[in-house]
Amino acid sequence: MLHRKTLFRSFAIVVALALSQAACKPPENAVAHGHSHGHGGHSHGADAHAEDEDEHPAFPITVWTNGFEVFAEHEAIEAGKAVELVTHVTRLSDGQPKATGSIKFVITDASGASFEHVQSKPSQPGVYLPKINFAKAGEWQVALRIPKDGKSVEVSLGKVTVYPDHDAIHKVEVPEKLDGIAFLKEQQWNHPTLVRPVGRRDLRQSLSVPGEIHLAAERRGAITTPIAGRILAPIGGSRPRLGQQLSAGEIVGRIQPVFSEISSRLVEARAAVNRAAIELEDARKTFGRIESLAKVEAKSARDLQAAEKELRLAESAHVSAQSLERAYASANAGLLTGKEDAPMAVTLSAPIAGVVSELLPFATGEFVQEGTVIARTLDPREVQVHAFVPESQSVHLASVSGANVSRPGRADESLTVFNEQVGRIAVIATEVEPRSRSIAVHIDTPNPDNRYRIGQRLTVDLHLRELNDIIAVPDQAVIEEEGLTTVYVQVAGETFEKRIVRLGVRDGGWTQVVSGLEPGEMIVVDNAYAIRLAAVAGGDVPHGHHH
C-alpha cells in the first residue's frame, strides 16, 4: 500500500518522503526527478533484476530552518556501501545557493553513536555531493552543520533507513511521485525565488477611499486694501515675496490715499461724528425720561432696560466715529505736510502667520481700489484631509478609529494622519454630496516639513477594526490568474503547487487569507511569476540539471 510521510507545517518542516518499508513496486512508478547524480546504482550481474538497468528511485528530503533550505536526495541505502547524498543548500534570505565553503554531516545511529563527514566544498554553487558509508542497518539520524556569520547552525534532515542487503532494498516501496510544478534548484537560483512560511499576525480592516488635502479657513489669510490709493513698501522695508514666511501682524506695505480721497473721507467721518453725537443726546434724553417714569411705575423694568441698551449702543457708536475721524484727520494732515514719517499712509499687515502663497502683480506706486486683495497667505502647519466615503459604505463611518494616507500608486509610503497620537476627526459630513454620492470625512492632522501639499490628491485608508492572530501573507505573494487569486506553495525542494486562495483584509503590505493556506506552509513571496511560467511550460524550462 502506497503512502508518503506527512508534510510538517512549521518553519522547521522536514519533508522525508517514503522512507518506510513496504512491498516492492515496478520501477516505472519510481520518481523521475531528472537529476544526473553520477553512479548508476546497484548491479547484480547478468541475471540480476532487470529493473537495475533503469534509474534508481530517489528519496527526497526538504528542510527549511535556521536561515537555510536544504534539499537532499539519495537512493535506497545499503549497509556498508557508500551512498551519494546529493545536497542542495540555499540561503532563505535571498534565495541564492551557498557557493563556497565546507559543510559537515553528523550521522547518529539508534544507540547514540555518531560519526562526521566533512564536505570541503560544493561541486558547483549550492550542490554538495558527499559519499557516506553507513556501517549497519537501521534508523540513522542525519544532521547538517553549516557555517553562518562566524558560527555554525544545525539543520536536522530527520531519519534515514539503512537496509541490511540488496534483497531488502528490492522490497522497499519507492516514493510516490509528488504532483506539482517541477522547478529545479538551478532554475530557482537563476531566478531567485524567495519562500517564507505562512504565519499569523494582527491586521486592521480598512476602507480605502479617495481624498484631498485642504486647509481650514482660519489658516488662510488675505492682505486687503482698506482704502483706495497707491501701493508703497513699508517704511525701511520691502514688499513681501512669494513663499516668504510672515508673522501675524507683520507690516508688509502701505496704501497712500490721494488727497481728494482722504479729504472726502475726513468730511464723511466728521459728519458721522455729528450724527452719532445727536443720536447719543437723543438716547440720553429718552433714557432719563423712561427712568423717571419707571420710578413711579409708569414704565416697566423691561422698558427701562431697553432704553439703557440704546444709550450704551449710541455711546459706542459715538466713540467709534470719533476714532475714525481722528485717523482720517491725522492722515489728511500728513498729506498736507508731505513729511515722510507722517501718518500719511495706511499700513498693510499680515492677518495670520503663514507663507505668502499668492502675490498679485501690482507695481509699487500703482493705484488700487478699496477692497483689493494684493496677497494671500496660508499656514500649512496643520492641514485637513478630506476623505470621500461612498454612500454605500456609510455604515462604516461610526467605526473609524484611525487613518493613513498614500499617494496613488505609492502605497509603500503610507503615512498616519489619525490615531491616538496623531490628528483628529474634525467632522463627518451629515449630507451626501449629490454628484459624487459620497460623504466627506474631515481629518485635521499636523503637517511637518510641509509633506502634504494643499490640493494634493491621496488615497485614504480609514481604519475600521482590528483582526487578531489571522493567517496573512505578503501582498507580493498573491497573483491574479484568469480571474482567480492564487499563491504558489513549495511542497518540496523542486516541487511547487498552485493554490487558489480566498482573501480578506489588506493592511500595510499584508493580506488576510481566509481559505486555501495553513500556517507553516512555505509560499513563494518573490518571483512567483517564474513558477507560473514553469507551470505553463509543463516543467519544460531551460537550464539542464547536472551535478
Side-chain angles (χ1 to χ4, degrees):
M1 179 177 179
L2 296 178
H3 73 281
R4 70 177 72 175
K5 288 192 176 181
T6 303
L7 299 178
F8 295 96
R9 309 299 188 183
S10 67
F11 187 59
I13 299 176
V14 177
V15 181
L17 299 176
L19 295 180
S20 61
Q21 303 183 32
C24 185
K25 292 179 60 178
E28 59 267 21
N29 293 328
V31 175
H33 50 75
H35 291 253
S36 176
H37 292 156
H39 306 294
H42 305 284
S43 176
H44 305 281
D47 58 346
H49 294 282
E51 58 267 26
D52 283 346
E53 297 176 4
D54 296 328
E55 182 181 5
H56 285 274
F59 293 79
I61 304 169
T62 306
V63 180
W64 299 270
T65 188
N66 288 340
F68 291 97
E69 177 206 302
V70 176
F71 171 56
E73 292 178 301
H74 64 86
E75 297 176 357
I77 305 172
E78 184 177 344
K81 290 189 176 182
V83 64
E84 188 173 68
L85 185 60
V86 182
T87 306
H88 309 74
V89 181
T90 305
R91 295 191 300 265
L92 287 174
S93 60
D94 58 8
Q96 290 296 300
K98 176 175 168 54
T100 60
S102 65
I103 59 175
K104 180 187 293 184
F105 293 82
V106 180
I107 319 295
T108 307
D109 66 13
S111 69
S114 64
F115 67 93
E116 297 178 351
H117 176 94
V118 176
Q119 195 70 15
S120 61
K121 62 180 181 179
S123 62
Q124 66 183 61
V127 182
Y128 290 81
L129 300 177
K131 292 183 178 179
I132 300 175
N133 191 321
F134 294 81
K136 59 183 180 179
E139 297 290 327
W140 293 75
Q141 183 74 39
V142 180
L144 189 59
R145 292 179 182 168
I146 307 172
K148 180 184 178 184
D149 300 330
K151 299 179 181 179
S152 178
V153 298
E154 183 165 301
V155 176
S156 174
L157 302 186
K159 292 181 180 180
V160 298
T161 301
V162 178
Y163 300 95
D165 52 37
H166 185 73
D167 290 333
I169 286 178
H170 274 280
K171 298 177 182 178
V172 175
E173 179 187 357
V174 299
E176 182 183 355
K177 183 178 179 179
L178 281 176
D179 292 329
I181 303 162
F183 199 56
L184 305 181
K185 295 310 297 183
E186 283 84 354
Q187 293 165 327
Q188 295 176 42
W189 295 333
N190 287 331
H191 308 280
T193 306
L194 300 185
V195 295
R196 295 290 184 269
V198 176
R200 294 181 177 273
R201 61 190 302 118
D202 296 340
L203 297 183
R204 281 188 303 246
Q205 182 184 10
S206 298
L207 178 63
S208 186
V209 298
E212 290 180 354
I213 297 296
H214 289 255
L215 202 62
E218 63 268 20
R219 292 188 173 273
R220 294 183 179 274
I223 300 174
T224 307
T225 57
I227 60 173
R230 294 190 309 128
I231 294 179
L232 300 175
I235 296 175
S238 58
R239 293 174 62 190
R241 303 179 305 277
L242 197 65
Q244 181 179 345
Q245 177 69 46
L246 300 177
S247 303
E250 183 175 344
I251 304 301
V252 296
R254 295 175 294 158
I255 292 293
Q256 184 184 59
V258 294
F259 178 77
S260 59
E261 173 75 12
I262 200 68
S263 298
S264 175
R265 292 297 181 90
L266 177 59
V267 171
E268 292 175 358
R270 286 173 175 168
V273 170
N274 291 334
R275 286 195 300 273
I278 293 171
E279 292 172 356
L280 175 60
E281 183 63 25
D282 287 345
R284 283 173 177 165
K285 291 179 179 178
T286 299
F287 175 76
R289 184 174 66 257
I290 293 176
E291 184 180 34
S292 299
L293 294 172
K295 290 180 180 179
V296 295
E297 299 182 351
K299 287 289 184 179
S300 67
R302 178 175 296 181
D303 292 334
L304 180 61
Q305 290 175 352
E308 184 179 10
K309 178 181 177 181
E310 292 299 324
L311 176 60
R312 298 289 179 264
L313 289 174
E315 289 174 343
S316 176
H318 186 248
V319 170
S320 296
Q322 287 177 321
S323 297
L324 186 61
E325 188 268 342
R326 285 195 297 269
Y328 281 123
S330 177
N332 190 63
L335 287 173
L336 292 174
T337 60
K339 294 181 179 180
E340 177 63 24
D341 58 349
M344 56 184 296
V346 177
T347 59
L348 301 175
S349 60
I352 64 169
V355 176
V356 178
S357 60
E358 184 181 353
L359 198 61
L360 276 71
F362 291 111
T364 298
E366 185 173 351
F367 183 87
V368 294
Q369 295 294 336
E370 177 183 348
T372 301
V373 176
I374 64 170
R376 297 185 186 276
T377 62
L378 55 84
D379 179 6
R381 290 174 298 175
E382 184 176 278
V383 296
Q384 198 169 73
V385 178
H386 289 193
F388 305 106
V389 178
E391 179 182 11
S392 61
Q393 301 290 334
S394 61
V395 66
H396 296 301
L397 290 175
S399 304
V400 176
S401 59
N404 284 12
V405 299
S406 58
R407 289 181 292 173
R410 300 297 296 272
D412 57 324
E413 296 181 0
S414 177
L415 296 169
T416 299
V417 293
F418 167 47
N419 62 15
E420 292 181 356
Q421 290 79 35
V422 180
R424 66 182 183 88
I425 293 181
V427 66
I428 297 177
T430 56
E431 294 181 325
V432 176
E433 202 283 320
R435 287 179 296 178
S436 65
R437 306 307 300 174
S438 64
I439 301 166
V441 178
H442 298 175
I443 300 171
D444 290 334
T445 185
N447 186 25
D449 305 321
N450 291 332
R451 65 178 62 168
Y452 308 114
R453 302 293 178 178
I454 312 305
Q456 183 179 17
R457 292 185 176 180
L458 302 165
T459 298
V460 184
D461 291 318
L462 299 174
H463 306 160
L464 303 180
R465 64 189 178 104
E466 297 285 338
L467 300 176
N468 303 116
D469 195 34
I470 61 172
I471 297 175
V473 298
D475 289 345
Q476 64 267 28
V478 180
I479 295 179
E480 297 289 337
E481 298 185 49
E482 300 177 349
L484 298 176
T485 306
T486 63
V487 298
Y488 285 89
V489 178
Q490 186 179 24
V491 295
E494 295 181 334
T495 306
F496 294 80
E497 178 182 299
K498 177 179 175 179
R499 194 76 61 79
I500 298 174
V501 294
R502 187 160 62 92
L503 304 181
V505 172
R506 299 184 67 178
D507 176 34
W510 292 83
T511 300
Q512 177 190 13
V513 177
V514 178
S515 64
L517 285 177
E518 293 296 330
E521 290 188 292
M522 303 299 291
I523 61 167
V524 180
V525 298
D526 193 23
N527 210 13
Y529 192 70
I531 311 297
R532 181 174 183 269
L533 290 179
V536 173
D540 184 16
V541 289
H543 311 299
H545 193 17
H546 302 288
H547 304 316

